[in-house]
Amino acid sequence: MTDLRLCECASTLIDILAGDHLSLLDGDTANTGKMSCKATLFSCLAKVLAISTMNSHASYPSTKSTKGRGPLFPWGAEKTVNLILKQTVIPYLEISAKGDCTITQRVSYCYGAIECLHLLLKNPNRELHLEYMDHIGIDNTTQLSKHAAAILAPLVVDVLPDGKENQQINPLRKRTLDAISHFWEWSYESFEKGQQASTHATDQSMAVLMSSQCMAAALNGAQKDQNDSYEIDVSTVARILQAMVQNKGLRIYQPKFLYILTLLCLAYPNACARHWHLFLEQSAVKESPLISVLEQSTAALGSHNFEGNSWIALPSSLRATSSLVAAMPLSLWISGEGRPSMRISGGNLSLRVRNALLITLKCIFDLMSAIKVRLSSSECLSNTISSSHASMEIVMMQISELASKLCTKISFNGENSVLLEPASKLVQCAGHIYVHSAKTIATKAFTSKSELENTLLFKAMSSFGNFIIECLGASTSGTRFPLCSVPSGNWLSDASSYDFIGLLLTDSYWPHQLSKDRMEMLSALAQSSPSAFAREPYNLALFVELCVTQCKSQNDAETRMQGLKLIEAFILGRKKFSAEFITNNAICSVIPGTFCPLLLVALEDNSAAVRACAVSSFGSLVRQDWNCLFLPDRDSDAVVLIDWSTLKSILRLCSSNEEGIATVRASSCKAIGEICSACIGDAVCEKEDDTNHDVPFADAFVHDFTCKICDVIVNVFHDDIASVRSMALFAIGNTALALKECYRERFAPHLSPSMKQLFPSACECLGDRDEKVVANAIRSVSHIAYFVYHPGYFSDVDDASAVFVYRALLSKLSAKLNFALDDAVGESPVGLTWKQRNGAKKHAWGSCTTLGILLSFSNMQSHLDNELLELAIGSLLRCVQLSNIIHEKITAAAINAIAGLPISLWQYLSCKCDSIGRGLATCFGFLSEKKSITSYHKDVESMANLLIVNAKKTDFCTLFLLQESIPFSAEVFYHWLVAQDVDVGVLEEISAAVSQLPQILDVSVAQMFLSRTVQQHIRQDLSCKVDDSSLLLDENNDDEL
């Protein structure tokens, strides 16, 4: 049958069904017949939709253009949904919910309509098979069919005649979810009644299955909701779901129900977390559905029963448990022992959750132990894919995911320490499986990597290897120093991990097909826990030997790269735990003595990736390493000469004249910045004495070091590649910051020429076309400016040009700050993309800090006019005024900048411009509006006190005149004066301002300030009289004596 003919059939059925549904509310026999007739017609319509879907698959292969078309696609998704769902199915289901028929009749009458709804919701290109649903992965990012998108879209968009879009809440979404929820309840209630009556429940069980399929399709289209407002009754759905999972008559559908639980946790995590006890809590009188499946599956695995319902449901059960654990705020719940908010009906929540976790950890360990026994069979080396192998693979993947979440998400301190031992056993068992799998694989020769990958042992090694890497923290994206989980650290410090470490360091166990897997695990271990190698000298020697062998591979750049990655990971891990290894002579000698020569050779490698990795490793060295590199012959009696060869080799790669690959140049510049922090930071520029033998960096060294860096980096500012320019600015910014910290208590005039040489070039980068370059330029300028404008370095005679740059900087930074603020309030002259807006926020944040530093140089005040100062301070104050709509970091940076301005600046500005008055209005506007105490609240209070003390009559006049443009409460201002017991001199200035503005302030407000001034005068006079009386009394006493 053609698609057009199917559309005609559907149109005829819709015309018949779209009659008066209200007449169906009458409960007589005739209307019962009408309901039965309509139910049959809906079943026919469902058949038409099913045939149309099959036709779409047969005639139109799934491509990007045809994907998700679904049934009756000649009509289009919107027309199909409107005719079938909006005009027919939903009204019918809503009327059926109000009828007088029994639950069983209601299910029978609505089955066909729900089937139509399901056919529209499901994705025709992605049929889920229950036994493999956990293998393909389940999440809320799955692309919906076009019909489902039209039904479940949160908003609908109408285009108005003038071309503007009008967004409205989609009413069909709520009506559809309500209809599905109602049928979900009816179907299970009908099934339970059939069970109680011992009648044939086939039809009822099919209705339960259909309602479950519809619920799954709806939840798959629901967006993740972190709020407390939900479109469905999650509590009811969860309770029915618990009953379905535990119902023995529905055991065959258990995977489907657990799949729905996973989707429910993904769509409504907060609501599901509140019902964790329905699925995880177990006691003597209460059985946990999820724990029960895990226990039964362990028994099935031990008896090699891979056909039973428990084993089939295991992947779904593991995934549901993992999703539920991810939704539960464990760090909050199990740390709330004794807190009233953590006590709910049924006992202490922390204790209950902790007990549930103990049982869950035990079940997972038992299951992993059963898998370890299963992997000992000879068939695990076979590369023949069987159904039992496929199910085992899925189970191992899901166990690893669940175990990873438990070991990394739980806090093991305090009373939660009881969870540490069972969690550590999981990592230990995973390590045993990994070792057993690797050793067994080494006993057989494989002709190809694909042949090896098809074995169950390799899949076990891969799954549990990923679990170990997760626990080591090495998979954390964007984290330079990953945090090793407590259970994995506990395992690595125990003797049970020795076989695992020895396996990784023994070449004979590793065929070439597993070389990459081995290096990945070694890198994760070296970066997260270098002490695992350093604990045994033999292990450390093997690790060093492996790194040397890999790095010296002549014909394979990938092998050399693996060796360098191992070195980089070890150096990073040592840097993270530098305090732990400070006295370890083996570590202190192996890095500069063995690894650094390998890194130096790698700087000359033909591979750009190898060179980039080498310079990154140099950037992670600590000052002890550089001590050895700069002074290799320090222990000899000869004259000590600094060896600059390593630094020069890295600097050479910063220049485009020497290095043609931009990524290498950028990595080199970044490494230079980190080297500066390590060598000349505040921790290493202390005065040398007999107890500090590892600090060779005297003033002469710092001068030469800085000059060499500045001479090279100043030219890199003009590199053609933005990332290189950005990292060059990062390097100079770090250099200047380290120098500031090093010489914060004394001046170093010999450093000023180098900084002044590159300062204009750094300032020019503020106009760069790349946003990241500008952001780093703002940061670098703030640090370099110290050596240009600080009174100890600035000279009016020699630095005339620097004044011009200083004025330009204030103007540019104020403009950048105001640009971001204009965009925040919708006054930007041009529309910004998300990326541009994000860049503007970062520039504003940095501009606040840099403006504060530039304005803190009191010696520069005489070189500025009031207009420029007013512009710079006004932009900072504007950040505080807009604190409710801009990023909190910008507000905090602005407040810190203003609070750090010298008192002399406010004294200079008093009565010269409106800055003090505007500042007072800003402070009291902020204090009037902010209901919650922020981290910078006290800074605003301190700033208000400072401005009040330095303000004069003109400034207070400005304050009251700005009340309309910068709203603040005069009452709050008055009560603040009273609370702070402000001096009478300040009150006189305020009274003079109030008297000068009778038309601005209400009479009652003006009278408050005038009365307070009078009262303060009286108090002061009385205090003086009391003091005089005391003096007279003391004099009389003296005379008597």
Side-chain angles (χ1 to χ4, degrees):
M1 186 179 289
T2 64
D3 294 308
L4 292 177
R5 186 67 66 184
L6 286 170
C7 288
E8 291 176 3
C9 293
S11 181
T12 302
L13 290 169
I14 291 169
D15 290 339
I16 299 172
L17 287 167
D20 183 14
H21 297 295
L22 293 175
S23 62
L24 301 177
L25 289 175
D26 300 331
D28 56 18
T29 306
N31 285 326
T32 302
K34 290 181 183 179
M35 292 285 289
S36 180
C37 180
K38 287 211 170 193
T40 304
L41 290 172
F42 273 116
S43 296
C44 293
L45 181 57
K47 297 297 182 184
V48 172
L49 294 175
I51 295 172
S52 177
T53 303
M54 289 187 289
N55 279 3
S56 297
H57 274 290
S59 303
Y60 301 90
S62 179
T63 64
K64 187 175 181 180
S65 59
T66 63
K67 188 174 183 179
R69 281 187 167 182
L72 304 178
F73 77 83
W75 278 357
E78 290 187 8
K79 180 179 178 180
T80 304
V81 168
N82 181 61
L83 290 177
I84 296 178
L85 199 64
K86 189 174 182 180
Q87 297 184 20
T88 309
V89 171
I90 294 298
Y92 176 76
L93 292 172
E94 290 173 343
I95 292 299
S96 299
K98 302 175 183 178
D100 295 331
C101 52
T102 65
I103 291 294
T104 303
Q105 289 176 324
R106 191 174 292 167
V107 171
S108 177
Y109 294 153
C110 295
Y111 185 89
I114 285 292
E115 189 177 4
C116 293
L117 176 55
H118 172 248
L119 288 168
L120 292 175
L121 281 175
K122 76 174 186 176
N123 191 334
N125 297 310
R126 188 176 180 272
E127 279 299 318
L128 289 177
H129 301 284
L130 296 181
E131 61 269 28
Y132 295 112
M133 63 172 62
D134 288 279
H135 178 62
I136 62 177
I138 301 170
D139 55 44
N140 274 13
T141 61
T142 303
Q143 183 179 3
L144 301 178
S145 69
K146 294 182 179 179
H147 299 77
I151 297 169
L152 298 174
L155 300 173
V156 291
V157 180
D158 294 328
V159 181
L160 303 177
D162 58 358
K164 295 182 178 179
E165 293 182 350
N166 180 31
Q167 290 187 343
Q168 296 179 341
I169 296 176
N170 182 10
L172 190 60
R173 176 186 174 96
K174 174 63 175 172
R175 294 174 67 190
T176 301
L177 293 174
D178 285 343
I180 293 173
S181 298
H182 288 149
F183 190 77
W184 167 266
E185 297 178 45
W186 302 338
S187 62
Y188 186 68
E189 186 177 344
S190 173
F191 179 83
E192 278 192 319
K193 287 184 177 180
Q195 277 188 318
Q196 294 169 2
S198 299
T199 59
H200 192 264
T202 303
D203 293 339
Q204 288 93 336
S205 63
M206 290 300 296
V208 170
L209 176 61
M210 179 55 64
S211 69
S212 299
Q213 290 175 334
C214 233
M215 180 65 75
L219 290 174
N220 195 49
Q223 295 183 344
K224 186 173 182 179
D225 190 351
Q226 296 283 3
N227 301 320
D228 290 329
S229 58
Y230 306 107
E231 302 157 313
I232 63 174
D233 185 356
V234 177
S235 178
T236 301
V237 172
R239 294 183 183 280
I240 294 177
L241 198 55
Q242 178 203 26
M244 286 180 170
V245 173
Q246 293 180 315
N247 195 306
K248 295 181 179 179
L250 296 172
R251 186 65 59 86
I252 191 174
Y253 300 136
Q254 201 174 56
K256 172 65 76 173
F257 302 147
L258 294 170
Y259 168 63
I260 293 174
L261 176 58
T262 298
L263 293 175
L264 193 67
C265 291
L266 292 172
Y268 306 104
N270 286 350
C272 287
R274 298 183 190 127
H275 298 89
W276 68 274
H277 56 281
L278 297 177
F279 303 97
L280 271 183
E281 192 169 29
Q282 182 160 306
S283 63
V285 296
K286 177 184 177 183
E287 185 182 63
S288 164
L290 295 175
I291 297 300
S292 176
V293 173
L294 294 179
E295 292 175 342
Q296 294 170 12
S297 301
T298 303
L301 179 59
S303 60
H304 301 279
N305 180 14
F306 299 106
E307 306 298 332
N309 291 329
S310 297
W311 179 259
I312 294 174
L314 179 58
S316 298
S317 178
L318 289 169
R319 187 61 191 265
T321 307
S322 180
S323 300
L324 186 57
V325 168
M328 296 166 63
L330 295 178
S331 60
L332 174 65
W333 282 1
I334 61 177
S335 65
E337 193 74 53
R339 286 163 47 189
S341 61
M342 293 292 105
R343 294 185 178 277
I344 60 174
S345 59
N348 182 273
L349 175 62
S350 300
L351 181 61
R352 292 169 58 195
V353 173
R354 196 178 294 115
N355 289 337
L357 290 175
L358 280 170
I359 296 173
T360 305
L361 288 167
K362 180 183 181 302
C363 287
I364 298 172
F365 176 74
D366 292 342
L367 189 55
M368 290 176 65
S369 299
I371 290 175
K372 183 172 68 171
V373 174
R374 169 69 178 166
L375 291 172
S376 301
S377 62
S378 58
E379 64 183 50
C380 293
L381 268 176
S382 171
N383 55 10
T384 303
I385 301 177
S386 62
S387 58
S388 62
H389 278 202
S391 60
M392 279 283 289
E393 178 186 0
I394 299 170
V395 167
M396 289 187 297
M397 290 171 56
Q398 296 301 333
I399 288 178
S400 299
E401 181 183 342
L402 174 56
S404 298
K405 288 182 179 176
L406 289 171
C407 290
T408 57
K409 194 177 180 183
I410 296 175
S411 172
F412 296 95
N413 56 345
E415 296 190 358
N416 301 328
S417 59
V418 296
L419 301 171
L420 179 57
E421 182 180 353
S424 301
K425 285 184 177 180
L426 295 185
V427 190
Q428 178 182 336
C429 189
H432 289 164
I433 294 175
Y434 189 90
V435 171
H436 168 75
S437 301
K439 287 184 176 181
T440 308
I441 289 173
T443 62
K444 182 178 178 180
F446 293 91
T447 58
S448 64
K449 181 71 178 289
S450 59
E451 181 186 1
L452 172 60
E453 288 176 346
N454 286 331
T455 64
L456 191 59
L457 282 171
F458 175 83
K459 298 180 187 301
M461 184 178 171
S462 176
S463 296
F464 291 107
N466 288 335
F467 165 46
I468 294 172
I469 290 176
E470 286 278 349
C471 289
L472 292 174
S475 64
T476 308
S477 59
T479 304
R480 185 167 173 81
F481 299 111
L483 183 62
C484 182
S485 68
V486 178
S488 59
N490 195 44
W491 170 60
L492 289 173
S493 62
D494 186 71
S496 59
S497 65
Y498 287 1
D499 284 347
F500 174 76
I501 298 171
L503 170 81
L504 292 174
L505 296 174
T506 306
D507 293 336
S508 59
Y509 290 125
W510 297 95
H512 67 276
Q513 295 97 334
L514 293 179
S515 175
K516 186 175 180 180
D517 302 84
R518 177 195 186 189
M519 294 304 162
E520 182 182 2
M521 182 62 73
L522 275 170
S523 295
L525 186 60
Q527 187 171 356
S528 302
S529 182
S531 59
F533 302 118
R535 186 169 54 238
E536 294 291 333
Y538 179 70
N539 286 343
L540 181 60
L542 285 178
F543 179 78
V544 172
E545 182 182 353
L546 177 62
C547 293
V548 172
T549 303
Q550 295 289 110
C551 290
K552 289 186 176 181
S553 176
Q554 296 295 325
N555 302 320
D556 190 356
E558 184 178 355
T559 302
R560 297 196 299 275
M561 187 66 181
Q562 289 175 351
L564 287 172
K565 284 291 184 183
L566 287 180
I567 293 175
E568 182 184 28
F570 189 82
I571 291 175
L572 279 171
R574 192 282 308 263
K575 186 173 185 178
K576 176 184 174 183
F577 301 103
S578 57
E580 180 180 343
F581 298 112
I582 196 72
T583 58
N584 192 318
N585 294 328
I587 297 292
C588 293
S589 61
V590 75
I591 290 181
T594 304
F595 288 161
C596 287
L598 294 174
L599 296 176
L600 272 174
V601 173
L603 295 181
E604 307 289 340
D605 198 278
N606 294 329
S607 170
V610 170
R611 298 197 299 274
C613 184
V615 292
S616 297
S617 300
F618 275 118
S620 301
L621 298 179
V622 298
R623 72 174 185 267
Q624 296 166 275
D625 304 325
W626 288 107
N627 175 43
C628 297
L629 292 175
F630 284 129
L631 298 171
D633 301 321
R634 190 179 184 188
D635 295 334
S636 66
D637 296 331
V639 177
V640 176
L641 296 177
I642 295 176
D643 184 358
W644 298 104
S645 58
T646 304
L647 182 65
K648 288 181 178 179
S649 298
I650 300 172
L651 284 172
R652 180 180 58 80
L653 297 181
C654 296
S655 173
S656 58
N657 296 330
E658 300 287 341
E659 174 56 58
I661 305 300
T663 54
V664 180
R665 299 201 300 274
S667 298
S668 302
C669 291
K670 183 180 180 182
I672 289 295
E674 293 171 337
I675 292 168
C676 291
S677 298
C679 290
I680 56 174
D682 58 341
V684 299
C685 283
E686 301 168 356
K687 182 180 179 181
E688 292 189 47
D689 54 33
D690 294 336
T691 62
N692 193 11
H693 297 288
D694 62 334
V695 184
F697 308 123
D699 286 350
F701 166 84
V702 173
H703 174 262
D704 294 342
F705 182 87
T706 305
C707 289
K708 292 181 186 301
I709 290 175
C710 293
D711 290 344
V712 174
I713 297 297
V714 68
N715 297 317
V716 186
F717 288 162
H718 306 290
D719 196 282
D720 295 334
I721 306 301
S723 61
V724 180
R725 298 195 299 273
S726 178
M727 288 298 101
L729 288 161
F730 167 80
I732 288 301
N734 271 26
T735 304
L737 176 61
L739 290 171
K740 275 201 307 182
E741 293 174 344
C742 182
Y743 294 100
R744 60 181 178 268
E745 296 181 356
R746 57 194 177 99
F747 294 117
H750 55 282
L751 297 174
S752 185
S754 298
M755 292 289 106
K756 290 181 180 179
Q757 173 191 354
L758 52 78
F759 187 61
S761 298
C763 294
E764 289 177 6
C765 292
L766 292 174
D768 197 279
R769 60 186 179 275
D770 185 85
E771 295 172 355
K772 292 184 178 179
V773 174
V774 175
N776 271 344
I778 294 173
R779 170 184 176 269
S780 299
V781 165
S782 68
H783 298 315
I784 303 172
Y786 176 84
F787 297 97
V788 180
Y789 299 114
H790 190 277
Y793 300 101
F794 181 79
S795 170
D796 291 335
V797 178
D798 299 330
D799 296 325
S801 61
V803 174
F804 176 80
V805 176
Y806 182 82
R807 295 170 59 89
L809 280 175
L810 292 179
S811 179
K812 287 181 181 179
L813 294 172
S814 300
K816 288 186 178 296
L817 187 51
N818 283 317
F819 178 79
L821 298 178
D822 289 342
D823 178 68
V825 298
E827 297 177 358
S828 178
V830 291
L832 300 180
T833 63
W834 176 88
K835 184 178 180 181
Q836 291 172 329
R837 182 170 289 110
N838 193 43
K841 290 178 182 177
K842 291 181 180 179
H843 296 170
W845 179 24
S847 296
C848 289
T849 302
T850 306
L851 278 174
I853 291 174
L854 292 174
L855 292 172
S856 68
F857 301 127
S858 56
N859 58 304
M860 300 302 296
Q861 295 172 13
S862 58
H863 298 282
L864 300 177
D865 53 62
N866 297 338
E867 183 179 352
L868 187 56
L869 282 171
E870 191 175 358
L871 172 66
I873 295 176
S875 63
L876 293 172
L877 292 173
R878 192 180 174 205
C879 294
V880 186
Q881 296 162 16
L882 300 176
S883 60
N884 290 331
I885 60 175
I886 65 174
H887 199 285
E888 186 178 12
K889 285 185 176 181
I890 301 176
T891 304
I895 291 174
N896 287 335
I898 298 171
L901 298 182
I903 298 176
S904 59
L905 178 61
W906 297 115
Q907 294 172 343
Y908 172 80
L909 292 174
S910 181
C911 300
K912 292 185 174 66
C913 59
D914 69 353
S915 292
I916 290 184
R918 187 175 296 275
L920 286 169
T922 301
C923 289
F924 287 104
F926 178 89
L927 297 173
S928 300
E929 292 178 3
K930 288 293 178 182
K931 296 180 181 180
S932 58
I933 303 298
T934 60
S935 58
Y936 40 81
H937 203 89
K938 290 186 177 181
D939 290 331
V940 178
E941 294 177 347
S942 300
M943 190 165 62
N945 286 332
L946 176 65
L947 294 177
I948 286 174
V949 171
N950 289 281
K952 302 299 180 184
K953 182 186 78 171
T954 305
D955 302 315
F956 288 117
C957 287
T958 303
L959 166 67
F960 293 118
L961 289 171
L962 289 173
Q963 191 171 7
E964 185 175 345
S965 59
I966 308 177
F968 70 93
S969 170
E971 286 78 9
V972 170
F973 178 47
Y974 171 78
H975 289 300
W976 180 270
L977 298 174
V978 174
Q980 300 297 318
D981 196 19
V982 174
D983 185 72
V984 68
V986 175
L987 290 172
E988 287 177 347
E989 298 287 346
I990 297 174
S991 298
V994 168
S995 302
Q996 190 173 325
L997 303 170
Q999 72 280 12
I1000 300 296
L1001 297 174
D1002 291 338
V1003 176
S1004 59
V1005 174
Q1007 188 60 42
M1008 281 194 313
F1009 293 105
L1010 295 174
S1011 300
R1012 179 62 185 176
T1013 306
V1014 173
Q1015 292 175 7
Q1016 197 71 348
H1017 269 295
I1018 295 173
R1019 287 180 58 196
Q1020 187 171 348
D1021 292 341
L1022 290 174
S1023 176
C1024 291
K1025 290 180 180 179
V1026 171
D1027 291 341
D1028 292 343
S1029 301
S1030 300
L1031 289 173
L1032 290 173
L1033 180 61
D1034 290 340
E1035 290 175 0
N1036 293 334
N1037 290 339
D1038 289 341
D1039 291 340
E1040 291 175 0
L1041 289 173

